[in-house]
Amino acid sequence: MSEVTLEKIASLCKRRGIIFPNSEIYGGIGGFYDYGPVGVEMKNNYKKYWWKYMVDKRENVVGIDGTIITHPKVWEASGHVKGFADEAMECKKCHARFRPEDIDGKCPKCGSSDFTEARKYNILFNTEIGVIEGEKMPAYLRGEACQTIYLDFKNVVDSTRQQIPFGIAQIGKAFRNEITPNKFTFRTREFEQWDLQYFVKPEDMQKSFEYWKEERMKFYKGLFRNQESLRFHQHPKEKLVFYAKDAYDIEYLAPWGWAEAEGIHWRGDYDLTQHSTFSGKDLSYTDPMTGEKYIPNIVETSGGVDRTFLFLLLDAYDEEQLDNGDVRTVLRIHKDIAAYRAAVFPLVSNKEEIVKKAREVFGMLSDDYKVLWDSRGNIGKRYRYQDEIGTPYCITVDYDTLENGTVTVRDRDTMKQERVKIEDLSEAIA
Ligand code: ATP
């Protein structure tokens, strides 16, 4: 009915423990967010879902978990020390800074149209290794998670049974000193990325590129309700980096327009060649069957976990007009991503047999599912809360349960209620 806005999502996230602004008691800090009790469950489910799709279901993809700080030379080899730049223009009146693409004439803050020229700033986060003054080694927090995959490429080849073509997957934090973090968790300074680097023979690049492009779209389409809010955006040929033959973004139609969710990149042999050159170690691959030696080419799929999770929340958010005139807020999020599969309620909290029975149901279901206990307030309020956090089922133990061993199962999306036998519950909510 009414439009979903970023403000509504941010407010829901705060109200219901999905995402909190970081360091709020100190006035907050721009571009950093925490996941709350509900959000951490959702985000973990979301990452598990990706891992299953990208790693567990495939014969030839393996995972790693690399560090955030690496040898600083990595970032010289990757080009980040020289070229990891963000452009910003400053409003001469109020001194606020913006990315050039976010300004359509006037300063979004004060309305002035007097700006400085766009300037480039390096957005790698600096740190230092060591404690003795004068002996500290400058280092960086990784600006993209994928670099650790290239560093471990040879170790993975030598330690696993994988042969080309194969992929290395990773989910991990990346840090960018964004000049203008904005739009809630869309652009932050600390975030997670999910990456696949798929290593192939040079002549197989086109085929693999097409394959992963489609696979990644399939992944998002399996989770999003509004399929027409996802599309490919092909990078114009003249804007491609020199080693890329092609590049696509998967975009989501956010309240502020189409926005990048994930990139599918043609990296060729660039990364392994760079690291071979800078490290002096040969990162070529020898085909165990033919003896052929070459630098593998790479197809990369790199998406933002937090950013696409925000898109998923926007996609799932619904306000529904009820017959009695009330408005129901419901998060119609995919069942595998919802924080809890079900909530268990004793109808009343002052009747011992009912509470005891409900505890039994909770104990039984929690062997297989993440379930939530709620005995506070009336049933209507409990439903309202569960709808807002997207819990697919609410299970109520009531007086009839004590008579006939059935409970009420209420469906989040249809609000329909059904009586189900306790012994059939686990299967019913599966
Ligand atoms: P953008 O153009 O939006 O800055 P990018 O093209 O630099 O993104 P990549 O380096 O390709 O992004 O990173 C892969 C993914 O990581 C992006 O598609 C996005 O989902 C996510 N990402 C990048 N920067 C941020 C950020 N500052 N905050 C949250 N997610 C980010």
Side-chain angles (χ1 to χ4, degrees), residues 84 99 144 176 178 185-189 191-193 195 249 260-263 265 300 302-308:
F84 199 38
R99 291 161 79 89
E144 57 182 20
R176 296 184 186 180
E178 300 275 359
T185 54
F186 174 76
R187 185 176 305 288
T188 58
R189 292 181 165 131
F191 55 97
E192 275 187 291
Q193 292 183 310
D195 282 320
D249 290 339
E260 173 178 337
E262 170 156 335
H265 301 135
E300 167 185 77
S302 178
V305 181
D306 313 83
R307 183 184 284 189
T308 59

Side-chain angles (χ1 to χ4, degrees), residues 87-250:
E87 264 192 319
M89 295 164 76
E90 191 175 309
C91 169
K92 283 190 181 163
K93 193 162 162 222
C94 73
H95 301 289
R97 292 200 183 93
F98 303 95
R99 291 161 79 89
E101 66 262 35
D102 290 338
I103 302 172
D104 52 8
K106 290 205 162 102
C107 172
K109 217 164 166 194
C110 74
S112 156
S113 47
D114 200 6
F115 292 97
T116 62
E117 292 287 299
R119 255 192 69 188
K120 288 204 165 181
Y121 300 85
N122 192 301
I123 59 170
L124 265 182
F125 260 100
N126 299 84
T127 184
E128 285 175 323
I129 303 169
V131 291
I132 298 167
E133 277 315 324
E135 290 178 21
K136 292 182 184 174
M137 175 162 84
Y140 308 98
L141 307 187
R142 63 183 180 193
E144 57 182 20
C146 64
Q147 291 296 328
T148 35
I149 297 183
Y150 312 137
L151 303 181
D152 283 337
F153 168 71
K154 214 170 153 30
N155 281 330
V156 172
V157 171
D158 293 345
S159 62
T160 67
R161 311 288 301 157
Q162 294 298 333
Q163 294 174 35
I164 279 180
F166 78 93
I168 304 179
Q170 182 181 227
I171 301 177
K173 291 254 178 168
F175 299 80
R176 296 184 186 180
N177 218 339
E178 300 275 359
I179 306 162
T180 51
N182 60 45
K183 302 188 183 77
F184 196 34
T185 54
F186 174 76
R187 185 176 305 288
T188 58
R189 292 181 165 131
E190 172 173 345
F191 55 97
E192 275 187 291
Q193 292 183 310
W194 45 37
D195 282 320
L196 171 77
Q197 305 293 318
Y198 195 69
F199 301 88
V200 300
K201 273 182 144 176
E203 58 265 38
D204 292 339
M205 269 304 273
Q206 191 66 47
K207 195 177 72 191
S208 296
F209 187 82
E210 296 296 331
Y211 173 79
W212 284 109
K213 179 180 154 234
E214 295 308 323
E215 278 295 287
R216 293 307 300 149
M217 183 57 102
K218 220 160 81 188
F219 171 85
Y220 288 111
K221 289 213 160 159
L223 285 173
F224 280 68
R225 293 195 301 148
N226 302 301
Q227 305 275 297
E228 64 291 349
S229 64
L230 291 163
R231 74 170 189 194
F232 283 118
H233 163 73
Q234 186 176 22
H235 290 209
K237 293 278 180 226
E238 64 277 10
K239 289 218 167 149
L240 293 176
V241 281
F242 69 92
Y243 53 81
K245 271 217 191 115
D246 212 350
Y248 282 85
D249 290 339
I250 293 176

